[in-house]
Amino acid sequence: MRTAKRFSPKEAEEIYLVPYWSGGFFRVGEDGELEVTPLGPKGPAASLLEIVEALRDEGRPLPLVLRFPQILEARVKELNEAFFKAMEKYGYQGTYRGVYPVKVNQRRLVLETVARVGRPYHYGLEAGSKAELALILAQDLSQEALVTINGFKDDDFIRLALTGKKLGRNVVITLEKFAELPRVLRLSRELGVAPSLGIRYKLKAKGAGQWEASGGENAKFGLTTPEIARAVEVLRDQGLLDTLVMVHAHIGSQVTDIRRIKAAVREAAQTYVQLRKLGAPLRYLNLGGGLAVDYDGSKTNFYASANYTLSEYAEDLVYVTKEVVEAHGEPHPILVTESGRAVTAYHQVLVLEVTDVITPPGEERPQAPGEEAHPLVHELWEGLQGLSAKNFREVYHDAFADKETLQTLYDLGLVSLKDRALAEEIFYHTARRVYAIVQGLPYAPDEFEDLEKLLADKLVCNFSIFQSLPDAWAIHQLFPIVPLSRLREPPSRRATLVDISCDSDGRIDRFIDLHDVRAALPVHAIRPGEPYYLGVFLVGAYQDVLGSNHNLFGQVGEAHVEVGEEGFAIQRFVPGETAERVIEKMGFTARELTLGVERLVRQSRLSPAEKGAFLERYARELQGYTYLED
């Protein structure tokens, strides 16, 4: 009996690029299971498969999210320590005050963990709405921690921020447009509190990547240089110039190129210097967000990567700022960044179960066509019979042309369904043979690049991309995806993923690669009766709050997991949304729906037993998970 070829965890890590994107928080264990190492590579580890199986034993359904608060803690510490080390290295006389933008992930575990772990670093929080500010004001922050107020503001938002300052919080209101200045000054007089103001400077420098358009002269937020000069004059005329404490510049999210970042820092630092020269006693230089996550591990300026490390980012911000302000004899400002993605992305894993496999035709060698078959079917068969490494190009091109012609003839009623079916079997088997030949070549010809996608299985996964991975659908964001087990076996199949939504866009057919974008994911053959789980990684930023209820699929359940020397512990499980909860978002109530169904049942010809059974099932489904259940 032949046994499957075994290979090492190192080989599996290279196939799925684990060392390149994992930040040291994940690895392949010796038993072929993916492990989490939330305290770093030298700390304790836990098998993700064992965690999922423990949750299943408790009756927890999939899909679900695993959250690792220890990873959140590690990322907050790494960010702050990187800046303190950079400042020590370059003799920087200011300090660092990081701010977490709450919009990135407002989940309770995330916000409370970031606030608690950041407290010794005087780590702050940023609000972009009244609701976010309401969350922030209730957190246990240090007195020095910044609470930055960004976004467009109405009177109530400003009142809430000013009252937060009266309560002793270090609240800085960022002016996003000139018209906000008189409003803030009016309300500060009304409440009897002097504001602390920041000005968002509209950078000319642009970022790089998906969000490049969020910077530059056409950016949504920020004051132009003439508006900044006017704001300074207004504040000086009213004797309030000392309230201007911060200049804020934001280059954009997920900035992939460190050169763009350095150019933006230089411009922002110069603006800090010029405002100081105008008499504004600025203390803070807020360089905004943009610290990228290397989703594909390629360390390039590709939109899903970053060509710099965290330490390089911190050192460049510190060095460039120091160089600019010292050239003008100005004091080193307190540096502020508002990194969110880089803090939260790593801590969350989405776990999917494969429920079915859709395999393209041609897996097995087809039968020879009978004499009655269409001549083009015979031509396809003859090409397959004569296929070799020498003529594979010609055979494949002829086969493709024959298949297309047969489709046209079928549409005209000139080819039978039986002939078309056999032709497709022959074509796909030919394509599989050609793909095997191409795989053995040192260079794959361009015209065969789509073969992998054409021949890939479709793994049906129990989830909704619109709820759990909305940016994979909307902007083609790439995420690392790795099987949780069987990583001592070489993956023998290639697949794309499809969700259970009734939408053709509910699929993932782009996967990470160090040199390009893969059209299919290496996976193992699915064994009947044996669960096969996939982990989707780096999904802790934005995914939680951007998800939609398309097809009325709701928020998935989440497990909070801690790992120690004695193993893992599931600290808490938050159930996913029920059908009733999601339906209520649409304006219905369970009571109204039940009454409507009861009227229908009364008018039906069901037997009394059937009526009772149906109503019981209906009530149970309203309380059930919105995803497929066993």
Side-chain angles (χ1 to χ4, degrees):
M1 177 179 174
R2 294 182 62 185
T3 58
K5 176 188 173 185
R6 296 174 65 84
F7 69 158
S8 69
K10 178 68 174 175
E11 289 175 287
E13 287 188 333
E14 289 298 320
I15 287 176
Y16 296 103
L17 310 175
V18 178
Y20 304 98
W21 55 258
S22 66
F25 297 119
F26 301 95
R27 71 186 182 201
V28 177
E30 288 300 319
D31 57 359
E33 295 177 3
L34 203 64
E35 296 179 341
V36 58
T37 55
L39 302 182
K42 296 181 180 179
S47 162
L48 293 178
L49 177 65
E50 290 183 11
I51 295 172
V52 172
E53 288 177 337
L55 288 162
R56 296 303 298 269
D57 289 344
E58 293 180 1
R60 308 303 188 183
L62 268 67
L64 56 79
V65 158
L66 301 178
R67 295 192 192 279
F68 298 97
Q70 292 159 304
I71 295 180
L72 267 178
E73 296 174 8
R75 290 300 292 172
V76 171
K77 292 175 182 177
E78 287 173 5
L79 175 65
N80 283 276
E81 293 295 339
F83 274 94
F84 291 137
K85 288 176 183 176
M87 288 176 173
E88 182 179 2
K89 177 177 180 178
Y90 293 116
Y92 194 84
Q93 300 304 306
T95 190
Y96 174 69
R97 291 289 179 264
V99 170
Y100 170 66
V102 174
K103 68 179 180 182
V104 174
N105 193 322
Q106 299 103 332
R107 294 287 170 188
R108 181 171 185 172
L109 173 74
V110 175
L111 185 55
E112 291 185 347
T113 300
V114 168
R116 173 177 53 80
V117 179
R119 202 175 196 285
Y121 299 102
H122 307 295
Y123 197 55
L125 300 170
E126 178 264 329
S129 70
K130 287 178 282 190
E132 288 181 349
L133 181 54
L135 282 178
I136 290 170
L137 291 176
Q139 304 308 309
D140 183 21
L141 303 177
S142 76
Q143 275 195 321
E144 294 182 36
L146 280 164
V147 176
T148 56
I149 311 300
N150 296 341
F152 297 136
K153 310 161 192 72
D154 62 8
D155 284 9
D156 286 340
F157 194 1
I158 295 169
R159 284 192 185 97
L160 192 59
L162 291 169
T163 303
K165 191 168 190 301
K166 289 185 78 171
L167 291 171
R169 295 299 178 127
N170 187 13
V171 177
V172 177
I173 300 173
T174 303
L175 303 176
E176 303 283 10
K177 56 182 181 177
F178 184 82
E180 289 180 347
L181 178 58
R183 173 176 285 175
V184 172
L185 297 181
R186 171 175 57 81
L187 292 170
S188 66
R189 289 191 296 269
E190 176 187 303
L191 293 174
V193 57
S196 292
L197 297 176
I199 285 182
R200 172 87 72 104
Y201 165 64
K202 192 173 287 190
L203 284 166
K204 301 300 182 289
K206 285 188 176 183
Q210 297 257 41
W211 291 270
E212 180 177 336
S214 63
E217 293 182 87
N218 292 321
K220 174 180 176 181
F221 298 109
L223 279 68
T224 62
T225 49
E227 289 174 325
I228 290 174
R230 283 173 57 204
V232 169
E233 288 304 314
V234 169
L235 290 171
R236 178 181 286 114
D237 290 346
Q238 297 193 28
L240 294 173
L241 193 55
D242 61 339
T243 63
L244 185 55
V245 298
M246 177 186 290
V247 62
H248 182 187
H250 179 64
I251 190 175
S253 183
Q254 182 68 13
V255 182
T256 60
D257 190 347
I258 192 64
R259 294 171 298 179
R260 302 284 189 94
I261 293 173
K262 290 164 71 173
V265 172
R266 188 170 298 279
E267 184 181 348
Q270 191 64 242
T271 304
Y272 163 85
V273 165
Q274 295 303 320
L275 283 169
R276 293 273 309 180
K277 290 182 180 298
L278 291 176
L282 296 181
R283 297 174 55 216
Y284 300 100
L285 173 57
N286 187 337
L287 298 171
L291 176 56
V293 169
D294 195 357
Y295 289 95
D296 69 3
S298 65
K299 302 292 186 290
T300 65
N301 63 356
F302 181 59
Y303 79 89
S305 186
N307 64 6
Y308 56 92
T309 63
L310 173 57
S311 60
E312 183 180 356
Y313 173 81
E315 288 185 8
D316 282 348
L317 264 60
V318 169
Y319 180 82
V320 172
T321 301
K322 179 175 184 285
E323 183 181 49
V324 171
V325 300
E326 285 186 351
H328 294 271
E330 295 292 343
H332 297 177
I334 298 171
L335 281 186
V336 181
T337 66
E338 298 183 352
S339 301
R341 183 190 302 269
V343 170
T344 63
Y346 292 89
H347 91 282
Q348 183 172 321
V349 182
L350 173 66
V351 179
L352 311 176
E353 183 174 9
V354 176
T355 61
D356 202 357
V357 183
I358 302 171
T359 303
E363 187 87 39
E364 304 294 334
R365 186 177 180 86
Q367 293 182 344
E371 291 184 4
E372 74 285 357
H374 192 280
L376 284 177
V377 179
H378 283 282
E379 188 172 309
L380 275 166
W381 177 253
E382 290 168 5
L384 174 60
Q385 295 294 93
L387 177 64
S388 70
K390 291 184 178 180
N391 68 356
F392 72 92
R393 285 175 185 263
E394 179 184 356
V395 169
Y396 180 73
H397 292 155
D398 289 346
F400 188 88
D402 287 345
K403 181 178 77 74
E404 294 296 295
T405 301
L406 280 162
Q407 170 65 55
T408 301
L409 294 174
Y410 177 80
D411 293 344
L412 296 171
L414 302 176
V415 170
S416 69
L417 177 64
K418 182 179 177 181
D419 276 354
R420 180 182 171 187
L422 180 56
E424 288 193 13
E425 289 279 355
I426 298 171
F427 169 77
Y428 274 93
H429 192 74
T430 301
R432 291 177 187 277
R433 292 270 305 275
V434 169
Y435 181 64
I437 293 170
V438 170
Q439 288 294 97
L441 299 176
Y443 170 74
D446 291 344
E447 63 260 45
F448 299 108
E449 285 184 354
D450 292 336
L451 270 181
E452 182 176 61
K453 189 172 182 179
L454 175 72
L455 300 173
D457 296 333
K458 292 181 176 64
L459 300 187
V460 182
C461 298
N462 185 15
F463 84 115
S464 165
I465 192 173
F466 307 99
Q467 171 58 240
S468 296
L469 297 172
D471 38 2
W473 160 70
I475 59 172
H476 303 299
Q477 177 64 52
L478 295 173
F479 296 99
I481 303 177
V482 188
L484 300 191
S485 62
R486 295 175 62 184
L487 297 172
R488 292 300 299 259
E489 304 172 29
S492 59
R493 313 287 296 186
R494 298 293 182 270
T496 59
L497 310 183
V498 296
D499 71 1
I500 60 171
S501 70
C502 291
D503 198 307
S504 297
D505 280 349
R507 67 184 187 274
I508 301 176
D509 53 12
R510 294 164 56 84
F511 303 91
I512 66 166
D513 186 78
L514 290 183
H515 306 292
D516 203 344
V517 176
R518 286 179 179 169
L521 179 72
V523 295
H524 306 88
I526 305 301
R527 299 168 181 162
E530 180 180 320
Y532 192 71
Y533 302 117
L534 298 173
V536 187
F537 295 83
L538 304 183
V539 294
Y542 295 105
Q543 287 71 45
D544 277 326
V545 295
L546 288 177
S548 77
N549 292 126
H550 185 38
N551 270 159
L552 297 187
F553 288 115
Q555 183 74 31
V556 304
E558 61 178 67
H560 304 169
V561 185
E562 292 197 1
V563 179
E565 296 294 343
E566 297 181 359
F568 65 87
I570 299 168
Q571 301 291 343
R572 186 185 181 201
F573 186 83
V574 181
E577 290 181 317
T578 63
E580 178 182 353
R581 176 74 181 275
V582 180
I583 287 170
E584 285 178 345
K585 293 179 181 179
M586 304 299 124
F588 300 93
T589 68
R591 177 62 179 160
E592 290 169 335
L593 295 176
T594 301
L595 289 174
V597 170
E598 286 176 348
R599 284 194 297 271
L600 177 66
V601 168
R602 283 196 301 270
Q603 298 165 6
S604 73
R605 296 182 179 180
L606 296 178
S607 68
E610 289 174 324
K611 290 178 180 179
F614 176 77
L615 290 174
E616 182 181 340
R617 185 181 306 116
Y618 185 81
R620 188 168 60 246
E621 288 303 323
L622 284 179
Q623 297 305 315
Y625 205 25
T626 57
Y627 297 91
L628 303 181
E629 297 182 84
D630 296 334

